[in-house]
Amino acid sequence: MSLRADRQIAETPRLSVKSVQAYLTLVHPGTGCMGPAPVRRAGHVDAEVCVVALGAVRNVEWLADSGLAAGPRGIACDAGCRAFNMYGIVTDDVFVAGDVSRFPHPLFEYQLLSLEHWANAVAQAEVAAHNMVNPGPLRRPHLTVPTFWSSQFGLNIKSVGVPTFSDHVVIAQGSLKERRLAMVYGYRGRVTAAVTVNMAKSLDYYQHLIETAAPFPPAPGAADRPIEAEILIPSDVPDPRGLSHGPTVALTGHLPDRRLTVVRPG
Ligand SMILES: Cc1cc2nc3c(=O)[nH]c(=O)nc-3n(C[C@H](O)[C@H](O)[C@H](O)COP(=O)(O)OP(=O)(O)OC[C@H]3O[C@@H](n4cnc5c(N)ncnc54)[C@H](O)[C@@H]3O)c2cc1C
């Protein structure tokens, strides 16, 4: 397929769902779908596949002057869903949950996780609600192991753990050829995630490996373990220790308790 698309959509870093729909309706009247079609402007982009990534940037603009630790990846909070203020001090009366939160998880070295998973939003909201109405000692941490599901082109895809928190991956069961497989991800020698395609029954087993920080690659056991299970493939994701976005605050001034300024990226 030769896809012709207006330069505007390629060069605009953020489009809301409404503006994507409006764009497609404008360019492809009658169908509202992506596909080869004449465009009004002279500029175009040729592509085999168009991937539209929606929902990755959090709408935190309205919190710009709130004094909370809000940025493009969301609002940082503790494991009890209490938001941090911009000084990194935990608040006691502002709670966050779901996609907009960034929270530390002990299974993932306490790094702040930003997740876009429906199940995480539900589980974290329950913890936030519990902690809103319970005093300190009765508060609970949000420790759910992240899970995700999707159905794409007739394939059932499920994930447990955090696949991006990895340095290597192996195909532990099945194969691409069979169109059913289990991929297991590891980070520094322990299992951190698994993704199954048409093999959801195995997921509980891999969740147990993640929860117990089992060694990676996982030990042989499955009857349908392929020879490739011995081959470690670099997972090729950004090192989770690295910065993935710019700072939202900068150190300025001299007073010990008033040294931060909010930075607004251009
Ligand atoms: C295209 C797409 C496909 C997805 N597919 C899957 C999937 O297959 N499986 C899966 O597990 N997850 C999937 N997700 C992710 C899932 O939808 C989210 O993780 C989940 O909806 C998060 O719930 P939430 O309540 O945290 O946020 P949201 O569902 O985004 O709800 C936030 C709400 O707050 C509103 N809001 C924003 N700003 C303001 C404001 N200033 N004042 C008042 N209201 C405001 C928004 O309009 C929105 O209604 C998908 C997401 C997208 C975008």
Side-chain angles (χ1 to χ4, degrees):
M1 179 180 77
S2 173
L3 176 70
R4 293 164 63 86
D6 191 328
R7 277 213 177 99
Q8 183 189 357
I9 200 165
E11 292 173 1
T12 303
R14 292 183 59 191
L15 287 172
S16 69
V17 171
K18 279 182 186 161
S19 59
V20 169
Q21 281 170 347
Y23 173 84
L24 293 175
T25 305
L26 181 74
V27 175
H28 308 285
T31 67
C33 296
M34 247 336 156
V39 291
R40 289 183 189 172
R41 299 184 188 193
H44 69 271
V45 175
D46 290 319
E48 294 297 319
V49 176
C50 177
V51 177
V52 181
L54 300 173
V57 179
R58 277 65 175 165
N59 297 125
V60 291
E61 302 86 350
W62 63 288
L63 294 169
D65 299 317
S66 66
L68 294 174
R73 286 288 177 90
I75 304 160
C77 65
D78 74 355
C81 309
R82 295 178 298 176
F84 288 140
N85 70 17
M86 69 183 212
Y87 296 103
I89 294 175
V90 71
T91 60
D92 207 32
D93 52 2
V94 181
F95 291 80
V96 289
D99 284 17
V100 82
S101 70
R102 301 178 63 212
F103 62 97
H105 197 303
L107 280 179
F108 305 99
E109 300 188 359
Y110 295 97
Q111 294 191 21
L112 295 182
L113 297 181
S114 297
L115 298 177
E116 293 122 17
H117 300 167
W118 181 85
N120 177 68
V122 172
Q124 196 175 15
E126 287 174 3
V127 174
H130 172 89
N131 290 345
M132 280 179 207
V133 295
N134 280 285
L138 296 177
R139 284 184 172 153
R140 294 204 303 244
H142 173 51
L143 297 178
T144 311
V145 178
T147 56
F148 169 81
W149 57 267
S150 191
S151 192
Q152 300 290 334
F153 303 104
L155 299 174
N156 174 269
I157 301 170
K158 290 198 171 183
S159 159
V160 62
V162 182
T164 50
F165 196 90
S166 67
D167 47 30
H168 286 87
V169 58
V170 292
I171 298 178
Q173 287 177 261
S175 67
L176 283 173
K177 198 175 166 190
E178 294 171 70
R179 293 175 71 79
R180 58 187 293 278
L181 52 79
M183 293 174 291
V184 179
Y185 294 75
Y187 184 61
R188 293 199 239 175
R190 67 182 178 89
V191 176
T192 52
V195 174
T196 60
V197 178
N198 286 349
M199 202 179 266
K201 277 185 185 169
S202 303
L203 221 58
D204 284 349
Y205 170 70
Y206 292 116
Q207 177 162 345
H208 175 70
L209 296 188
I210 296 165
E211 287 170 345
T212 54
F216 175 87
D224 54 355
R225 180 181 167 92
I227 295 171
E228 291 83 3
E230 306 297 332
I231 303 171
L232 300 189
I233 307 161
S235 58
D236 208 20
V237 294
D239 189 323
R241 289 169 299 179
L243 281 176
S244 57
H245 58 89
T248 50
V249 294
L251 282 177
T252 60
H254 302 287
L255 294 175
D257 64 339
R258 293 285 179 274
R259 293 191 62 212
L260 288 185
T261 300
V262 176
V263 173
R264 302 193 198 293

